[in-house]
Amino acid sequence: MEKVKKKIGSFSFWNWVIASIIFRLILIYFPKNLNLSSRPEVSTPLTSFRRLAEGYWLKQSSMSSYAGSMYHGSPLLLSLLGPLTVKRIEGQPNHLLYSLVSVIADVVSAMLIRATGQNLRLAYLRSLESLDLVKQIDVSEFLCSGDIAALIYLCNPFTIVACVGLSTSPIENMAVILCLYGACSRLIPLAAFGWVIATHLSLYPAILIIPVIFLLGCGPDSPPRKLFLQRHQQKEVLNQSKLPPGFSWRPIIHFAFWAFLWSVYVLVLCGISLKQFGGLWEMFKSTYGFILTVEDLSPNIGVLWYFFAEVFEFFRNFFLIVFHVNILFMILPLAIRLRHRPCYLAFVYVAICSMLKSYPSVGDSALYLGLLGWFVNELADMQFSLFLFCGYVGVSLLSPVMHNLWIWRGTGNANFYFTTAMVYACLQIVLVVEGVSAMLNHDRKLRILITGKPQDAKS
Amino acid sequence: MAETKEKSLSDEKPKPRVRPIVRLGIFLISHSFHVSVVCCTAGVLALFLLPVLAKNTYISENALMPGSASPMLSNQHVSDGNRLVKDLTNPNSKSSETGIESHKIIAQYMLDLGAEVSFHKFHPQMNQFHPLHFFSSPDSGKIQENYSCSSYGINTVGIIRAPRGDGKEAIVLVTPYNALKSGFGEALSLGIAYSVFSLLTQVTWLAKDIIWLVADSQYGEYAAVAAWLREYQTPKFSSLSAPNAEMCPDVNNLFELKGHSISGSKFSNSFRRAGTMAAALVLKVRDQNEQFEDTISIYAEASNGQMPNLDLINVVNYLAVHRQGLRVNVEKLWSLLNSSWLKSLGEIFESLAKVAKSLYPKWKFGIPATEYVEGTATLASSLYYQALGVPTGPHGAFRDYQVDAITLEISPKFSLDKVWRNDILLRGGRLIEGVIRSVNNLLEKFHQSFFLYLLTSPSKFVSVGVYMIAFALLIAPLPMVAASLYVDANSSSKRSKGDSSTPSAITDTDEHSIAIRSWSPTTSFMIWVLLSILSLLTLNSVLASPLACAKATQEKEWALVKSVTISSVFIGLGLMSVINFATAEIGALLMVPMCLLAQPLKLDVRAGTLRSFCRMICNLVLGHIAFPPAAFFLLKGMLDGFGNANVGDFWMWVESLWAWNSATYLFIGMVQLPCWVLCISILFHTC
């Protein structure tokens, strides 16, 4: 019975993957009706396809690709993807090659998510075994979290829209997932490469260095180390082999070395391509500077554009610092509390970044919703799941309508659209808060199973 | 709404320390039955209270200053207009088959005033369905291949350049005119427009250009105006589409003639433009009239229930009533005027208001019963026309380009003597002049007053903040009931979260799958019903059968289906209330009671109490009423009598919605029908 179930599961997994790819291809062949690449939810100043094409055009006519404040991405993307923006095949949709690249990026990310999820599931089962909890928790009930996460990532309408809308976020997401995959399967050069590229492309993944260090230092997600010690104290035998390994510095030094190597490599490449146009300083100013100073105030699904459109000029710098430090403030407490679950920590960081980012798009939500799929077993009794689901559906439908009411019909105003942006931010906050508390509750449940008595809720 | 939803949704067992907001949510969910009864009654009651709560209109934009200047239109201009009317009604002018002669006459008259004149040729466009039209910008990209020289229309456009303006803004005056079979009314409307036009060529205060569009209405008034606007706003740069009309010899002939007769004048072959449009007025004169005084009807509803800025209606209403002594009308549902239950409801409200006033003299909210009935009739028609999503006149084309426009239809008391005609020309002309003068004063586009409102009389309105309360009360119980059902079903059996919403995706596919043209509406409607039932049953047997195997999950399955139905209804209605409020309100009235009451009939039969019997009857009745065709027949029968209700009518009605790109069509196909199917499947659930 079990085997049959599993067989059906894997069979339908590949079916779903193929179906989602076909669905993308269908959408790519009818791009005119949707006009997704000009929607503010899909293309931000950083990920817009039109800006990429403009940057490539400037580069081809031997000007600085950052001239005119149109392009704000990496020069490497220009060299890699730029040629695809102008290449046309007769009788095919205009940007077929570029769209195929994003489809491939999506599929690769999904496969990496699947591999990582399987990794995480194995680690979880192993730790349950070493805690002798296999009997209490029905392991056969466990879902294949890797498959589920991959399918969530592939079939999520947000991912599909970002892929068909020709934004560069599938590639940025792939870099982030590559980094996490490398760290989980202890491929240190790969992890370093993913981290460097992700940071280079969109800056915010830089904070993923903390979960990556935890991952490399003490391995993938497991219950707190304290529980293992308690368990073994109960049994009065301290079996060292069953304890999870302690923190080891060797892989981290390796990681630092490789990260340094890759970043030097990337910077040298960028420097070569920007030699005549102001060099690296110009690049930092118009990519990282553009992200950090929130220069472009065109509406998007985030909350910063409205705020900085309203704020007085002389408070601007202060609030810029406040908003960016907001992200940094959350890093340390979360890292301390969730240090035994580095992958979950990475999910929380990604979610927080996509909420407080200066130019968020649905592609970022697609990433953290996909990562959420890794923890279906742990988060099985999360609260408000129906509310969150309905909220996401409602907001993603309401937001284009409000935008239309404001821009095209003229009967609404900016507040209408901003309302949906605020509701969206609230939903993300509820998701993160409930997710973290559900994970802590899960750890608490494990401890109760071990010690056999509920403790006070101090920890 | 989101807040209440957030409050209401918390599927958590009570713990020792629960946040107050969560406690409130738990309280609401556990009493969801009482809450929903109270909310729904309050919602319906609030809807009937709307005419009482309506406020008097006021002119919000100070710059408009209507009626501050005395009208300058004199008898001289009126006699000019009269001359044009005479020329147009002269039988000689109708000799030509295409009616080009009368266009030439109009153009000649415009030229004589010193205006720039051009002809705009257009082909009537077939209606195409753009389901997401309201999501995107108005587009020019609809290029048709099969033009034929036999079917084209000619709009005559005259433009006066403002002496004080910079040519960046314009006011549009539209008079629909069918040269082939024009009635006297159309000629008269041209006469009024001409007299105003001749005045405006002389005045010095003009700051915005005036465009006078004589729209060729032989293919419909809307089509002509829409074609001209499309050309005006989104010029085509491709070389392919331009020469289509020029290839027809007849049109070229027209231009050549013109070129010969008036050389060096302001006539031009090319399309002429002025600035961005500040406002547009469509002027019509009705041929027959049964009323005893001169009235003027205002039509304002554009596509998808969009309304022009309330200030425009205010200005027209103020000038017509207080300056020209015309009676102003807005559409009413006449059959509601005689209904006795509405009258008694109005009397109840009136007496309540009297009691309240006797208690505290400052409470003055009551209105007389007759006024209440009239207000309700107007409100009902306002709701109906907004809900249809079909524009009520050529002004609808302007709203797609964010231009505020209304149609004014003057219906004079009918007599044929010259004095009367001059009187109508003078008063109508002065009204138009006053409105144009007010709009001319505007510094910005209309933005001060409301865009989202319902009219209860020409001088009373209900704003969005008031009517949304009724709607919000009506749909507030939905999330609570959904949450409580979800919690109940979840706590009893955690595993039954199967995909219970299989039928929801189905109904809209078969809606589109049928493109029957040649059959009569009745047959096509029947075929549609049969095909949908067939496809639903097959899909149900294919997809839903795996769920039936586990007996344990069956018991609570209907609760989950109901929870999913209610949440999707809530999302659908909330979304629709933003796109088109009136549709959402009517849809909510139909669907909310049905969704809330739905329960398997078997359970009720088994229970056998009086309460369950009542619920069963209610369910059956609501299940019939909420089916869109049935609801349509019922409404039509109530309004026009059941004698002439026909099965094919619904098909025709839906086809007209389709042809006008109405969002209501999408709503019926994607929210109402699927949810109705889900509710019916709950009713007949085998548990």
Side-chain angles (χ1 to χ4, degrees):
Chain A
M1 187 69 193
E2 194 83 298
K3 264 181 191 171
V4 174
K5 220 179 193 176
K6 207 160 191 185
K7 214 176 197 177
I8 291 172
S10 70
F11 174 66
S12 61
F13 172 76
W14 290 108
N15 268 1
W16 276 105
V17 170
I18 290 166
S20 71
I21 294 171
I22 289 173
F23 187 62
R24 280 176 168 78
L25 292 180
I26 291 172
L27 284 182
I28 286 167
Y29 268 86
F30 300 102
K32 280 271 158 57
N33 299 328
L34 296 164
N35 215 0
L36 281 174
S37 54
S38 61
R39 304 258 4 139
E41 292 89 0
V42 177
S43 64
T44 66
L46 294 175
T47 62
S48 156
F49 173 77
R50 274 173 55 228
R51 288 174 186 254
L52 184 77
E54 173 81 10
Y56 182 69
W57 188 84
L58 285 173
K59 191 186 165 195
Q60 286 306 93
S61 46
S62 59
M63 278 188 269
S64 165
S65 47
Y66 296 116
S69 185
M70 194 65 181
Y71 182 62
H72 298 284
S74 140
L76 296 183
L77 271 187
L78 273 189
S79 318
L80 289 174
L81 297 178
L84 299 181
T85 61
V86 289
K87 202 160 271 178
R88 306 258 148 100
I89 305 173
E90 259 330 289
Q92 302 288 335
N94 279 344
H95 307 301
L96 183 69
L97 286 175
Y98 182 83
S99 335
L100 286 182
V101 168
S102 359
V103 173
I104 291 167
D106 267 359
V107 174
V108 169
S109 321
M111 292 306 117
L112 291 177
I113 287 181
R114 186 177 184 227
T116 317
Q118 280 164 351
N119 234 336
L120 284 177
R121 183 162 173 266
L122 281 182
Y124 184 52
L125 288 180
R126 215 181 303 131
S127 59
L128 280 189
E129 224 165 76
S130 67
L131 284 173
D132 297 335
L133 281 178
V134 186
K135 272 172 242 155
Q136 278 109 316
I137 297 174
D138 196 0
V139 183
S140 65
E141 279 289 301
F142 270 26
L143 301 160
C144 239
S145 54
D147 288 0
I148 290 173
L151 283 187
I152 289 179
Y153 186 76
L154 267 185
C155 302
N156 189 347
F158 287 169
T159 326
I160 294 175
V161 161
C163 171
V164 177
L166 300 173
S167 79
T168 54
S169 37
I171 302 197
E172 290 167 14
N173 289 351
M174 190 173 72
V176 172
I177 292 166
L178 203 64
C179 163
L180 291 178
Y181 169 76
C184 254
S185 41
R186 310 193 77 77
L187 301 169
I188 293 171
L190 191 67
F193 176 74
W195 182 74
V196 167
I197 291 293
T199 309
H200 174 65
L201 289 182
S202 55
L203 180 64
Y204 289 96
I207 60 170
L208 287 183
I209 193 167
I210 294 167
V212 167
I213 284 175
F214 281 128
L215 265 177
L216 293 175
C218 29
D221 294 24
S222 62
R225 198 177 152 77
K226 200 165 62 182
L227 288 189
F228 291 93
L229 294 174
Q230 272 178 357
R231 187 69 181 173
H232 294 295
Q233 273 168 8
Q234 274 180 3
K235 285 169 137 192
E236 310 266 326
V237 274
L238 204 64
N239 191 349
Q240 272 299 339
S241 67
K242 274 197 161 184
L243 263 182
F247 199 85
S248 65
W249 285 100
R250 258 183 80 83
I252 292 160
I253 293 162
H254 267 230
F255 177 79
F257 168 71
W258 276 103
F260 175 73
L261 209 67
W262 283 119
S263 40
V264 166
Y265 181 60
V266 165
L267 287 180
V268 165
L269 283 183
C270 289
I272 290 171
S273 75
L274 287 172
K275 203 163 55 186
Q276 300 122 7
F277 315 115
L280 284 179
W281 178 241
E282 185 67 26
M283 181 188 88
F284 284 127
K285 216 167 64 184
S286 51
T287 53
Y288 294 167
F290 183 75
I291 292 173
L292 291 176
T293 53
V294 199
E295 281 168 30
D296 191 315
L297 297 180
S298 55
N300 54 38
I301 54 172
V303 285
L304 295 198
W305 62 274
Y306 191 87
F307 188 83
F308 283 107
E310 296 285 321
V311 82
F312 288 121
E313 193 59 40
F314 41 86
F315 287 133
R316 195 184 155 87
N317 288 332
F318 171 70
F319 279 109
L320 277 177
I321 293 169
V322 167
F323 273 103
H324 291 300
V325 165
N326 218 342
I327 297 179
L328 297 180
F329 265 147
M330 283 187 235
I331 289 179
L332 196 64
L334 282 170
I336 292 169
R337 198 69 189 79
L338 290 171
R339 67 184 180 284
H340 55 283
R341 294 190 178 275
C343 277
Y344 195 72
L345 185 65
F347 155 74
V348 173
Y349 280 170
V350 170
I352 286 174
C353 280
S354 81
M355 192 162 52
L356 294 172
K357 230 175 167 175
S358 39
Y359 310 103
S361 74
V362 290
D364 304 311
S365 315
L367 177 63
Y368 72 75
L369 288 177
L371 298 190
L372 186 64
W374 283 342
F375 311 100
V376 273
N377 297 315
E378 288 91 332
L379 299 181
D381 26 60
M382 197 171 108
Q383 292 177 20
F384 303 121
S385 50
L386 176 76
F387 164 65
L388 282 171
F389 180 75
C390 289
Y392 268 92
V393 172
V395 165
S396 53
L397 290 174
L398 204 57
S399 161
V401 173
M402 290 295 196
H403 189 260
N404 172 264
L405 215 61
W406 172 29
I407 299 290
W408 294 116
R409 287 216 232 159
T411 47
N413 52 34
N415 298 331
F416 283 51
Y417 185 64
F418 182 63
T419 312
T420 59
M422 280 208 300
V423 173
Y424 184 63
C426 288
L427 280 178
Q428 285 172 318
I429 292 170
V430 173
L431 177 76
V432 168
V433 169
E434 290 305 321
V436 169
S437 70
M439 188 54 101
L440 295 181
N441 277 337
H442 180 75
D443 283 344
R444 213 165 286 153
K445 201 177 88 187
L446 287 184
R447 196 188 56 219
I448 290 170
L449 282 177
I450 287 169
T451 55
K453 58 170 189 245
Q455 276 187 357
D456 58 315
K458 214 174 181 182
S459 59
Chain B
M1 259 183 292
E3 204 177 325
T4 52
K5 194 178 171 186
E6 197 172 338
K7 278 179 202 165
S8 63
L9 277 164
S10 61
D11 36 359
E12 191 187 29
K13 279 168 243 133
K15 273 182 184 176
R17 45 187 187 107
V18 186
R19 277 165 283 173
I21 194 166
V22 175
R23 212 179 300 160
L24 182 65
I26 292 169
F27 177 79
L28 283 179
I29 286 173
S30 55
H31 296 82
S32 64
F33 175 73
H34 302 281
V35 172
S36 53
V37 168
V38 168
C39 279
C40 279
T41 349
V44 175
L45 201 66
L47 184 65
F48 280 105
L49 266 178
L50 285 185
V52 181
L53 299 174
K55 280 189 286 187
N56 284 324
T57 53
Y58 55 94
I59 287 162
S60 179
E61 172 74 87
N62 281 329
L64 283 169
M65 297 191 290
S68 57
S70 54
M72 296 167 74
L73 195 88
S74 66
N75 283 322
Q76 173 63 36
H77 305 114
V78 168
S79 64
D80 282 352
N82 241 330
R83 207 151 41 85
L84 177 68
V85 175
K86 251 182 231 155
D87 273 1
L88 286 177
T89 46
N90 194 0
N92 295 342
S93 69
K94 296 196 177 177
S95 56
S96 168
E97 288 238 327
T98 48
I100 280 178
E101 283 304 315
S102 30
H103 281 285
K104 278 184 191 165
I105 292 172
I106 298 166
Q108 193 62 50
Y109 268 82
M110 288 180 183
L111 280 172
D112 291 345
L113 289 177
E116 293 175 12
V117 180
S118 66
F119 287 114
H120 167 241
K121 304 162 297 324
F122 66 94
H123 292 273
Q125 244 176 354
M126 289 298 112
N127 278 316
Q128 287 170 310
F129 186 56
H130 298 278
L132 298 178
H133 184 69
F134 51 87
F135 267 155
S136 56
S137 54
D139 52 341
S140 65
K142 289 175 268 176
I143 297 168
Q144 281 182 314
E145 285 80 26
N146 302 327
Y147 283 111
S148 64
C149 281
S150 57
S151 66
Y152 63 88
I154 304 167
N155 292 331
T156 314
V157 185
I159 299 175
I160 306 173
R161 301 290 171 189
R164 294 262 174 105
D166 50 1
K168 284 183 181 157
E169 283 176 303
I171 303 170
V172 187
L173 185 62
V174 182
T175 46
Y177 179 63
N178 188 349
L180 292 181
K181 42 168 189 183
S182 68
F184 184 66
E186 279 189 340
L188 203 58
S189 71
L190 281 176
I192 295 175
Y194 180 72
S195 54
V196 176
F197 206 63
S198 66
L199 166 75
L200 292 176
T201 48
Q202 298 156 8
V203 294
T204 50
W205 45 258
L206 209 58
K208 293 179 169 62
D209 298 347
I210 303 291
I211 306 174
W212 178 20
L213 171 69
V214 182
D216 191 350
S217 62
Q218 51 180 323
Y219 302 107
E221 295 163 359
Y222 183 89
V225 177
W228 178 75
L229 267 173
R230 200 162 39 237
E231 182 79 28
Y232 191 97
Q233 303 278 12
T234 51
K236 292 186 198 111
F237 295 109
S238 71
S239 55
L240 285 171
S241 55
N244 278 319
E246 263 89 72
M247 284 188 281
C248 305
D250 208 7
V251 190
N252 284 345
N253 194 15
L254 171 84
F255 287 126
E256 275 161 26
L257 265 176
K258 276 288 153 197
H260 280 299
S261 61
I262 357 147
S263 54
S265 74
K266 289 179 167 179
F267 180 83
S268 78
N269 276 340
S270 58
F271 193 85
R272 284 297 184 104
R273 288 193 178 75
T276 55
M277 302 172 195
L281 291 173
V282 182
L283 182 68
K284 289 200 247 179
V285 177
R286 197 188 276 175
D287 277 335
Q288 290 97 26
N289 189 23
E290 309 84 39
Q291 276 155 352
F292 306 107
E293 51 185 328
D294 297 335
T295 54
I296 176 166
S297 314
I298 297 177
Y299 298 91
E301 288 88 359
S303 59
N304 283 325
Q306 300 178 72
M307 300 290 277
N309 198 297
L310 189 54
D311 265 347
L312 189 59
I313 294 178
N314 290 344
V315 169
V316 172
N317 182 42
Y318 178 84
L319 287 172
V321 173
H322 297 288
R323 290 291 181 271
Q324 305 307 327
L326 294 160
R327 221 170 71 95
V328 177
N329 244 345
V330 285
E331 260 318 78
K332 273 179 208 144
L333 281 185
W334 294 101
S335 48
L336 274 183
L337 282 181
N338 303 322
S339 66
S340 51
W341 63 273
L342 211 56
K343 214 168 281 172
S344 48
L345 194 65
E347 275 157 13
I348 291 171
F349 284 138
E350 193 183 351
S351 50
L352 273 181
K354 262 182 199 156
V355 171
K357 198 178 176 185
S358 65
L359 288 177
Y360 185 64
K362 275 192 181 170
W363 283 345
K364 278 183 272 182
F365 55 83
I367 56 171
T370 50
E371 202 177 307
Y372 174 79
V373 172
E374 250 179 53
T376 317
T378 317
L379 184 76
S381 110
S382 193
L383 267 176
Y384 175 70
Y385 284 109
Q386 287 193 18
L388 266 190
V390 176
T392 49
H395 59 269
F398 285 95
R399 190 60 236 176
D400 292 341
Y401 300 93
Q402 293 195 23
V403 180
D404 296 295
I406 51 172
T407 296
L408 303 175
E409 192 177 58
I410 300 173
S411 25
K413 54 176 190 269
F414 205 64
S415 64
L416 272 171
D417 59 343
K418 198 160 181 248
V419 183
W420 160 81
R421 195 201 283 177
N422 279 348
D423 178 53
I424 272 299
L425 278 175
L426 189 69
R427 281 159 79 190
R430 282 188 170 166
L431 172 66
I432 303 292
E433 182 210 340
V435 176
I436 285 181
R437 189 152 192 181
S438 282
V439 176
N440 185 55
N441 289 340
L442 272 184
L443 298 176
E444 308 160 72
K445 61 181 279 193
F446 281 106
H447 68 280
Q448 280 274 357
S449 196
F450 294 90
F451 282 103
L452 307 168
Y453 56 89
L454 296 165
L455 288 175
T456 63
S457 87
S459 58
K460 282 195 156 187
F461 75 105
V462 185
S463 80
V464 56
V466 179
Y467 68 59
M468 264 298 177
I469 294 175
F471 180 71
L473 279 174
L474 205 54
I475 64 166
L478 291 178
M480 289 173 217
V481 174
S484 76
L485 282 171
Y486 181 77
V487 172
D488 286 352
N490 231 18
S491 55
S492 64
S493 63
K494 276 215 164 176
R495 253 164 282 163
S496 57
K497 287 183 208 162
D499 55 340
S500 44
S501 59
T502 37
S504 68
I506 299 160
T507 24
D508 54 1
T509 54
D510 46 39
E511 179 106 353
H512 298 289
S513 68
I514 307 164
I516 310 155
R517 288 264 156 257
S518 52
W519 291 318
S520 78
T522 315
T523 12
S524 25
F525 177 69
M526 285 307 175
I527 289 171
W528 171 74
V529 169
L530 282 178
L531 272 182
S532 351
I533 290 175
L534 205 68
S535 55
L536 266 181
L537 285 181
T538 43
L539 279 172
N540 193 42
S541 59
V542 170
L543 291 176
S545 52
L547 285 174
C549 55
K551 193 70 189 158
T553 60
Q554 283 275 309
E555 283 167 15
K556 281 292 172 187
E557 196 199 67
W558 70 268
L560 273 177
V561 176
K562 190 176 170 183
S563 165
V564 168
T565 312
I566 289 178
S567 349
S568 55
V569 165
F570 180 70
I571 293 176
L573 284 176
L575 205 61
M576 201 59 207
S577 73
V578 179
I579 298 171
N580 187 348
F581 168 77
T583 310
E585 175 73 50
I586 294 173
L589 282 178
L590 288 175
M591 285 200 299
V592 168
M594 179 182 68
C595 288
L596 290 181
L597 277 176
Q599 193 165 0
L601 293 177
K602 264 193 178 175
L603 282 184
D604 281 341
V605 170
R606 223 179 284 158
T609 58
L610 184 66
R611 191 178 156 186
S612 64
F613 184 70
C614 289
R615 186 164 50 202
M616 200 168 77
I617 298 292
C618 282
N619 270 330
L620 285 175
V621 171
L622 285 172
H624 281 103
I625 290 176
F627 185 46
F632 177 78
F633 291 135
L634 215 63
L635 275 179
K636 204 172 160 57
M638 278 200 320
L639 297 180
D640 305 345
F642 283 96
N644 46 11
N646 183 8
V647 186
D649 284 350
F650 179 69
W651 186 263
M652 305 273 275
W653 184 72
V654 173
E655 263 192 352
S656 83
L657 290 187
W658 181 87
W660 288 99
N661 286 326
S662 172
T664 308
Y665 177 78
L666 284 183
F667 175 78
I668 291 176
M670 297 183 69
V671 181
Q672 177 130 29
L673 268 178
C675 291
W676 179 77
V677 169
L678 281 173
C679 280
I680 292 298
S681 71
I682 293 170
L683 285 189
F684 293 104
H685 195 270
T686 53
C687 52

